[in-house]
Amino acid sequence: MSSSVNNIKKMCVVGAGQMGIGIGLVAARVAKLDVQFVDSNPDQLEKGLSFLDKLLVKDVAKGRCTEDERAEVRSRITSVSAISQITNSDFVVEAVSENVELKRKIFAELSEILPEETILATNTSSISITKIASAARRPENVIGMHFMNPVPVMKLVEIIPGLQTSKATLDMTLDLARKMGKTTAMSQDVPGFIANRLLMPYINEAIIALQEGIATKEDIDTTMKLGTNNPMGPLTLADFIGLDTCLAIMKVLHNDLGDSKYRPAVLLQKYVDAGWLGVKSGKGIYEYPAKN
């Protein structure tokens, strides 16, 4: 494996949802990498690239970049619909849903077709890096790289080495995160890492407070915003993250740590069962009318 981050010229992002699109955009714009998106869902790929284009146009309108810079960034971005169609890559970031078997399947496929020196990173927010890495042919090249949402705005990236991760992989990933303009924090490979080990029980407890009728959703959020100086209340934040994502992470914490304090709120499960996932579905704990 090359020891210089300058030898990373091309990134592949598996998954063209909001997180994947954000990661690819920052890689293309800030780190000036060629970026190839992979998503087997053509509708999601089209939607994701349309969202990326809107972000770039918005940046031009706000004076954050010129039209020439926008065109240059866009020229670095391509897409394919299958892992088998990836045209080489120095660094891969997987950004699909929090499903361990899906992630393991993707890493097994990636390690079969890519050069042996390619680093394979997962954007998982809670799942064991060691378990994901065990599905790859070269687990020493696998690492956790947990970006925060929205990626173009949030400065932090959690870096999580698995049991098998080599020092060369770790060093290269840290250097790439910095090249992307991010600040890094390193966590042990434990459920939830740092951010979600602390954040998700807080959100879950807020949903339990709503479930038990302790206060209205508005008063819960107002209390935490104005009483503890948080920019966003926990229930609004849950809707923004996605209630399905919150539930998936709480299940990982509960199952892997075995402590009842991590049991997901019954109301959280009900919202997800109803398809009320938050901002992305138009309804969650709050309602989000469609914009014209």
Side-chain angles (χ1 to χ4, degrees):
M1 182 185 297
S2 170
S3 59
S4 174
V5 72
N6 293 326
N7 289 315
I8 295 179
K9 304 294 185 185
K10 184 173 182 179
M11 175 187 284
C12 176
V13 180
V14 181
Q18 186 174 5
M19 289 300 296
I21 289 295
I23 293 165
L25 176 58
V26 172
R29 183 174 173 189
V30 180
K32 301 189 183 307
L33 302 181
D34 291 333
V35 174
Q36 187 170 59
F37 289 103
V38 184
D39 200 304
S40 59
N41 183 334
D43 292 337
Q44 181 59 59
L45 194 55
E46 181 181 356
K47 180 181 176 183
L49 291 173
S50 175
F51 178 62
L52 183 147
D53 287 334
K54 288 177 182 177
L55 289 176
L56 285 172
V57 169
K58 186 176 180 180
D59 283 347
V60 173
K62 293 198 171 186
R64 296 179 187 138
C65 68
T66 66
E67 174 57 30
D68 286 346
E69 288 169 336
R70 182 208 65 78
E72 183 184 359
V73 170
R74 194 62 179 85
S75 72
R76 297 191 193 108
I77 295 170
T78 59
S79 63
V80 293
S81 59
I83 288 174
S84 60
Q85 297 171 338
I86 295 174
T87 54
N88 210 341
S89 185
D90 303 308
F91 198 103
V92 177
V93 180
E94 166 271 310
V96 302
S97 59
E98 288 290 272
N99 180 312
V100 64
E101 293 309 322
L102 174 60
K103 290 179 186 289
R104 283 172 53 83
K105 178 176 181 290
I106 287 169
F107 274 73
E109 292 176 8
L110 288 169
S111 63
E112 287 293 332
I113 67 165
L114 291 171
E116 63 180 25
E117 65 271 16
T118 301
I119 294 175
L120 306 179
T122 172
N123 183 55
T124 181
S125 54
S126 60
I127 297 171
S128 166
I129 309 303
T130 299
K131 188 169 186 177
I132 294 171
S134 67
R137 291 182 63 187
R138 292 170 290 278
E140 66 274 13
N141 291 1
V142 176
I143 193 165
M145 196 177 193
H146 177 213
F147 290 84
M148 305 294 150
N149 187 29
V151 181
V153 176
M154 303 296 280
K155 293 292 186 182
L156 184 73
V157 178
E158 281 184 310
I159 305 296
I160 311 100
L163 184 64
Q164 314 94 317
T165 305
S166 70
K167 185 177 185 302
T169 296
L170 173 59
D171 290 345
M172 188 79 76
T173 304
L174 287 167
D175 286 346
L176 178 60
R178 295 179 189 120
K179 188 175 180 180
M180 293 173 69
K182 301 301 184 183
T183 298
T184 60
M186 198 155 73
S187 171
Q188 295 294 316
D189 184 19
V190 294
F193 316 133
I194 303 168
N196 283 327
R197 183 71 171 267
L198 302 176
L199 175 64
M200 286 300 154
Y202 160 66
I203 287 175
N204 193 60
E205 194 64 31
I207 296 172
I208 291 172
L210 179 63
Q211 172 185 304
E212 294 182 354
I214 292 172
T216 65
K217 57 192 174 187
E218 293 85 1
D219 282 348
I220 291 169
D221 275 354
T222 298
T223 298
M224 299 313 295
K225 282 175 65 180
L226 303 185
T228 64
N229 204 28
N230 282 310
M232 186 182 295
L235 301 177
T236 300
L237 180 57
D239 272 355
F240 183 76
I241 293 169
L243 299 185
D244 53 337
T245 299
C246 293
L247 178 62
I249 295 169
M250 285 307 301
K251 285 182 175 180
V252 169
L253 293 176
H254 188 221
N255 292 336
D256 291 2
L257 295 172
D259 193 321
S260 62
K261 71 180 182 180
Y262 298 114
R263 185 186 299 119
V266 172
L267 185 59
L268 175 59
Q269 180 71 66
K270 284 185 176 180
Y271 279 127
V272 174
D273 288 346
W276 298 352
L277 308 181
V279 175
K280 62 187 173 184
S281 68
K283 182 178 175 64
I285 297 171
Y286 294 91
E287 293 191 18
Y288 304 89
K291 295 179 181 179
N292 295 327

